[in-house]
Amino acid sequence: MNGFHMDYEVFLFIGVVLTLAAWLWTKFKKLQRSDNKRLQTIVAVGSFFPLLLIVFSFRSFAYEPFRIPSSSMMPTLLTGDFIYVDKTAYGVKLPIVHNTLIETGTPQRGDVMVFRSVEDPATDVIKRVVGIPGDHIRYDERTKQIFVNGEALPETFEGPYNGFHDDINPNGLNQRATITGEVEHKILHSDRVRHRYAHRELVVPEGHYFGMGDNRDFSADSRVWGLIPERNIVGQAKGIWMHWRPSAFIDGLKRIGTQL
């Protein structure tokens, strides 16, 4: 994954550069008021520079909002959740090129992490970190059990899943409690779905991570497309700041403020 992709961050950066050029030009020429429409346009464009700079800086170096588009992280995250992602949790990175400027930490087992897709860098993906560098990961397709360094992650059956969502029929989904690293959370399994995965057993190399969705049988993750390069990491998902789906408005309000 060399270079960069044309995403919102790139367009926002271009906007900052263009408005900066207009702002500097108006200051250099001392253009505040003019009857010339072209000059008025330049002044107007330049006036957006401070706002775009603040938005770009905050989004690039601090926090960034994301909307959950699918059911792969149920029951932790639902379609329609709006989350905020801490972009300083795993290092301060340069915008666009994503080179790390300052090391601040590394992903830990159990973290909910946003990263650029291994298959399509223009798409952001969210999964839970299950394996970190040096870990031996094995997924048993028969029992649907995850083993980390030879030890099975504990799972306790809690019963049929009755949560609200629009994406898939809940019939056949069972909820289990588990612990990944030091994080206690819920996962879902389906009695009706079984897959053959390309990556069922491996050792996570340096600079890579193994991620999985909490909705285990409805998640394309490291079992499908492989490991997550450190360079692709965007940040750590911290919490839900809004939920919007007209079909579940009241229940959605209850999710606001949920920490991950």
Side-chain angles (χ1 to χ4, degrees):
M1 293 194 176
N2 299 318
F4 61 88
H5 54 280
M6 294 297 290
D7 61 2
Y8 179 74
E9 184 178 62
V10 175
F11 287 116
L12 187 57
F13 176 74
I14 292 173
V16 171
V17 172
L18 292 177
T19 56
L20 172 61
W23 183 80
L24 289 174
W25 199 80
T26 59
K27 295 301 179 183
F28 180 75
K29 294 292 186 178
K30 297 182 179 180
L31 298 174
Q32 300 299 328
R33 295 179 181 178
S34 175
D35 294 331
N36 188 303
K37 291 185 178 180
R38 179 178 296 179
L39 297 182
Q40 288 178 345
T41 300
I42 294 175
V43 171
V45 170
S47 67
F48 285 99
F49 166 67
L51 176 61
L52 286 180
L53 180 62
I54 292 172
V55 172
F56 178 76
S57 300
F58 186 82
R59 184 186 183 277
S60 299
F61 298 108
Y63 291 92
E64 183 175 355
F66 287 88
R67 182 182 184 276
I68 302 302
S70 72
S71 62
S72 70
M73 280 297 292
M74 288 169 45
T76 306
L77 292 169
L78 306 178
T79 303
D81 283 341
F82 288 78
I83 63 172
Y84 61 95
V85 174
D86 183 356
K87 302 189 76 169
T88 67
Y90 306 133
V92 178
K93 297 184 178 182
L94 279 172
I96 314 299
V97 295
H98 308 122
N99 293 329
T100 300
L101 287 174
I102 304 172
E103 298 283 353
T104 60
T106 58
Q108 301 298 308
R109 299 186 200 97
D111 287 359
V112 179
M113 184 171 75
V114 172
F115 54 95
R116 292 181 297 281
S117 170
V118 175
E119 299 177 306
D120 176 15
T123 302
D124 291 317
V125 180
I126 184 166
K127 302 296 176 188
R128 189 178 298 276
V129 178
V130 174
I132 61 177
D135 282 348
H136 178 274
I137 304 294
R138 182 168 69 88
Y139 178 73
D140 189 321
E141 292 178 328
R142 183 180 61 83
T143 63
K144 301 184 179 183
Q145 184 74 53
I146 290 287
F147 294 82
V148 179
N149 299 324
E151 295 187 8
L153 297 187
E155 294 185 6
T156 304
F157 179 78
E158 294 188 337
Y161 176 68
N162 296 312
F164 68 98
H165 54 83
D166 298 327
D167 295 321
I168 57 177
N169 191 323
N171 293 332
L173 282 177
N174 294 315
Q175 181 167 289
R176 303 182 189 183
T178 188
I179 302 175
T180 305
E182 298 181 357
V183 179
E184 299 181 6
H185 62 100
K186 311 293 184 182
I187 60 174
L188 300 178
H189 282 291
S190 172
D191 292 334
R192 303 177 181 179
V193 175
R194 290 192 179 276
H195 296 289
R196 291 287 296 173
Y197 292 103
H199 304 278
R200 300 187 297 275
E201 186 169 4
L202 50 78
V203 175
V204 182
E206 195 65 33
H208 292 77
Y209 296 86
F210 190 94
M212 294 180 65
D214 288 347
N215 191 3
R216 293 292 166 79
D217 295 310
F218 293 90
S219 172
D221 48 42
S222 288
R223 295 169 295 176
V224 177
W225 34 251
L227 297 165
I228 305 163
E230 184 176 16
R231 180 181 175 83
N232 287 43
I233 296 173
V234 174
Q236 182 180 4
K238 289 292 191 176
I240 300 170
W241 62 273
M242 188 176 78
H243 179 94
W244 175 251
R245 278 186 308 161
S247 62
F249 179 73
I250 300 300
D251 287 332
L253 292 177
K254 299 176 183 177
R255 297 184 60 74
I256 296 175
T258 301
Q259 299 300 299
L260 303 176

